[in-house]
Amino acid sequence: MRTKISLFDICNNIFLLMIALVCTYPFLYIFFLSISDGRSIASGDVAFFPKNVNFEAYQYILTNSRLGIFRGLLNSGIYTVVGTVVALLLTYMTAYVLSRRQIKGRFLIMSLFVFSWVFEAGIIPAYIVLNKLGFVDNWLVMIIPNAINVQFLIITKTFLDGLPVELEEAAKIDGANDFQIMSRVFLAISKPILATIGVFYAVFIWNQYLMPLIYLQNPNLQTIQVMLKKLVISSGDSNTAFRTIIQNGIMLNPGNLKAAAIFVAMVPIVLVYPFVQKYFKKGILLGSVK
Amino acid sequence: MEKVITSERMTPLPQKTRIRRFLDYMNTNKLLLLMLLPGLISLVLFKLAPLGGMIIAFQDFSAFRGVLGSPFVGLEHFQRIFEDPYIWTLVKNTIILAFYSLLFTFPIPILFALLLNEVRVRWIKGSVQSLSFLPYFISSAVMVSILYTLLSPSTGLVNDILARFGLDTIYFMAEPGWFRSNYVLLQVWQTFGYSAIVYIAAMAAIDPSVYESASLDGASRFQQMLHITLPSLKPTIAIMLIISVGNIFTVDLDRILLMYNQSVYETADVIQTYVYRLAFASTGFPEYSYGTAVNLLKSVVAYILVVGTNKLSTKYSDTRLF
């Protein structure tokens, strides 16, 4: 075994820790901006640690309904929770049936799914179809059309294909019907895979930008990601959405408020990340060995 | 594929039993088939119907008349594509952007994985790896907003530092020359840790006794990396490279839509963003048919590339893309 600690080891460890820091520092910096006061930001003092820590910026952006940030967060939250449940249900049920050998034509159905994934129709034909079906300005557009992700369908089906047929046969002898076999016998074994694709579905829905941008014109339905584009990116340096204000004796400038808006848009992911990162890792590996 | 059981006799089965057998099959599996229904509806409505909708590339589509009622115009839109000089700018931009991305996003994860593999301290290895793929799960909107904040000409950290060194302010987001660098920077930042996972997993599969016998033979750490680790990664690297080449027309549409503005179109405008603007952000009448025609050509080329490279990757290994 190699136990000697060399100069290379020390340099390498330091270098990698630096890389990790550089990659995550921008997130920290945004957080520092959001909890400092306007005066310190203007004088450029918050590069490495926050100054005059306060949470007024968050209070301002969440209570000011004119901005619609709270509304956007709420919408995104609802879409993510409902969308993930629906997506898991549909993906799992479809994968389960397509993994049963007694079903005829399952290979054809799977091939059609795969073809539609590799050959992209593009956003315009999709819009024409969804428009006809009444999905424009309808919050269900965030839930239903993308409920089956072909990649996750393949992963789930491959997993179910690998389970012994005897499980099904034994349950059949015990008098269980197909639905009971799926929901009682197979669901229990599939929990790890469902957790994995579940976190991916949740992240995808939360992070969606193009779908809400195209389909949701009604500002009351809009997601936090599109709000962010409106408030932070489109306004550029000439600020219309945020102005310098004094709140509870604290001076807040557009820099504070923008940073707070950016941070609330990523906070759910950062909060759950420590708990679900092992699933992320697993999901990436599953996805890569298709 | 299912094994098709053919009867020994070559005479066709009587009609009656065939219907009977079909009804039996339906009856035995009625619950399973019912459970398949939502998935089938979803396949037809959201995956196949848009493919059928591509027919409007050959029509003069009007939303008022619908897909079935719009008149056919043959290849008119495709002719227009080949006469439009701007299309070549788009194709050039798409390929250059994807190529630059590949140039940086391909080797960096491999280097990172190799260095991480040399780390002997468990907590450093674990925490560095976990932090490295965090950016992958942050949305494009947040990432681009952060980039804007850092690069802002008046309040951004980067221009602040430049000013302290007495350098001029750079308008990163408004100069076409900076767009590709910014895009690739975000791409590397978001994907290097994520891509490295595959290589790290491949390294974990290497038998440790190989390293032990090598070090007994006096091979240095660097030599071990060169002669054991890298050769073991060869198949993985080959597949990854092939997949990346197959995706040469794939750009991150969300990110470009968020990053670009009119002043950087000459480097930032790609096929997908142009199609988006034709349909959803044009000042005049939305050009559904022309946009679909442009996208159809792109999809055909992309499809051939993906399927072709997938065939190649099966040569290298047993793991296939699909």
Side-chain angles (χ1 to χ4, degrees), chain B residues 168-180:
Chain B
D168 286 339
T169 302
I170 299 175
Y171 292 82
F172 288 99
M173 288 299 184
E175 283 178 20
W178 278 103
F179 176 82
R180 286 172 187 149

Side-chain angles (χ1 to χ4, degrees), chain A residues 31 34-35 54-63 259-260 263-264:
Chain A
F31 184 61
S34 71
I35 58 171
N54 67 84
F55 291 91
E56 296 297 334
Y58 288 98
Q59 200 192 329
Y60 178 82
I61 62 162
L62 292 176
T63 52
F263 203 75
V264 291

Side-chain angles (χ1 to χ4, degrees), chain B residues 2 9-10 44 54 59 68 80 128 131 183 219 258 264 268 309:
Chain B
E2 266 77 1
R9 297 165 304 146
M10 291 306 287
V44 172
M54 293 177 89
Q59 295 176 331
L68 301 174
R80 191 180 142 191
V128 168
L131 286 175
Y183 176 90
L258 285 154
V264 294
T309 49

Side-chain angles (χ1 to χ4, degrees), chain A residues 71-169:
Chain A
R71 182 84 230 200
L73 278 173
L74 194 69
N75 288 340
S76 284
I78 293 168
Y79 303 158
T80 303
V81 173
V82 180
T84 305
V85 172
V86 172
L88 275 178
L89 205 76
L90 256 175
T91 307
Y92 184 71
M93 212 154 71
T94 309
Y96 177 79
V97 180
L98 292 177
S99 70
R100 299 300 93 199
R101 290 183 183 84
Q102 62 268 37
I103 294 296
K104 292 185 168 69
R106 61 198 191 109
F107 184 79
L108 173 73
I109 294 169
M110 205 67 205
S111 306
L112 286 172
F113 268 116
V114 172
F115 180 76
S116 73
W117 170 49
V118 181
F119 195 95
E120 288 179 352
I123 49 181
I124 300 172
Y127 179 83
I128 288 167
V129 171
L130 292 183
N131 189 8
K132 256 254 164 317
L133 295 170
F135 279 105
V136 173
D137 258 351
N138 176 347
W139 70 283
L140 290 172
V141 79
M142 297 296 290
I143 316 286
I144 294 172
N146 292 331
I148 294 184
N149 173 310
V150 178
Q151 238 176 312
F152 297 160
L153 184 73
I154 297 170
I155 290 170
T156 314
K157 182 181 165 290
T158 309
F159 171 82
L160 290 166
D161 277 336
L163 296 175
V165 186
E166 288 78 16
L167 280 172
E168 192 186 358
E169 288 164 357

Side-chain angles (χ1 to χ4, degrees), chain A residues 23 104 120 225 237 273 290, chain B residues 25 130 139 154 189 299 320:
Chain A
C23 282
K104 292 185 168 69
E120 288 179 352
Q225 309 297 341
D237 272 12
Y273 191 73
K290 280 185 282 291
Chain B
Y25 164 79
S130 297
S139 73
S154 56
W189 180 21
S299 278
R320 302 214 332 242

